[in-house]
């Protein structure tokens, strides 16, 4: 019951569940004012993982029948792309639009100078 309630209120970390058993009145009522250790919570979850999965599916189906949720498929893209960036030194591309006659207040730019890389 403790794990179900914790998951329903968005707490999934065993350490945060343990802390809630000390600080949150609802958790204290559920545990009979006892504070389980985070290692016990984690061990219980690990040993009963299959049963907890089935229980969550049953709860979702009950909620669906009651019209509280609609079930479907969610797809997530976990693509990792290698970047070519330095953490210490960043370069920015400076794109400058100049009048046809060149740089205001200075000499005209040679062709190809606009858009050059500048160290930041």
């Amino acid at each position: 019951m403790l794990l179900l309630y914790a998951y329903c209120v968005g707490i999934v970390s065993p350490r945060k569940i343990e802390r809630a058993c000390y600080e949150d009145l609802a958790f204290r009522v559920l545990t009979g004012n006892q504070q389980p250790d985070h290692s016990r919570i984690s061990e219980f979850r690990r040993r009963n993982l299959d049963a907890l999965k089935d229980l969550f599916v049953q709860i979702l189906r009950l909620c669906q029948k009651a019209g509280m949720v609609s079930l479907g498929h969610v797809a997530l893209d976990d693509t990792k792309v290698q970047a070519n960036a330095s953490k210490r030194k960043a370069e920015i591309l400076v794109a400058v639009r100049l009048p046809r006659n060149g740089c205001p207040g200075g000499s005209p730019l040679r062709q190809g100078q606009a858009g050059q890389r500048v160290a930041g």
Side-chain angles (χ1 to χ4, degrees):
M1 192 69 155
L2 174 64
L3 284 178
L4 292 177
Y5 181 73
Y7 289 162
C8 287
V9 295
I11 301 175
V12 295
S13 164
R15 291 182 188 270
K16 290 182 181 179
I17 294 171
E18 177 188 11
R19 187 176 329 128
C21 290
Y22 283 96
E23 299 171 354
D24 190 293
L25 181 61
F27 281 87
R28 292 177 72 173
V29 169
L30 284 173
T31 61
N33 208 22
Q34 296 179 5
Q35 291 78 28
D37 187 58
H38 64 274
S39 60
R40 294 286 182 197
I41 295 169
S42 181
E43 181 184 332
F44 176 83
R45 182 170 41 195
R46 184 183 46 79
R47 281 185 311 176
N48 297 294
L49 189 61
D50 291 332
L52 288 171
K53 285 180 185 179
D54 293 339
L55 183 60
F56 285 125
V57 170
Q58 289 175 19
I59 291 171
L60 284 175
R61 288 195 177 135
L62 284 173
C63 291
Q64 182 184 25
K65 286 181 183 177
M68 297 170 66
V69 296
S70 62
L71 301 178
H73 295 281
V74 176
L76 299 175
D77 183 12
D78 191 27
T79 304
K80 294 185 180 181
V81 179
Q82 184 176 2
N84 188 13
S86 170
K87 291 182 181 179
R88 290 178 279 133
K89 180 180 175 184
E91 293 183 343
I92 58 172
L93 181 62
V94 178
V96 181
R97 290 187 180 224
L98 300 173
R100 283 188 185 181
N101 61 354
C103 188
S107 62
L109 290 176
R110 294 182 305 228
Q111 187 175 1
Q113 273 186 307
Q116 64 187 351
R117 290 188 178 270
V118 177

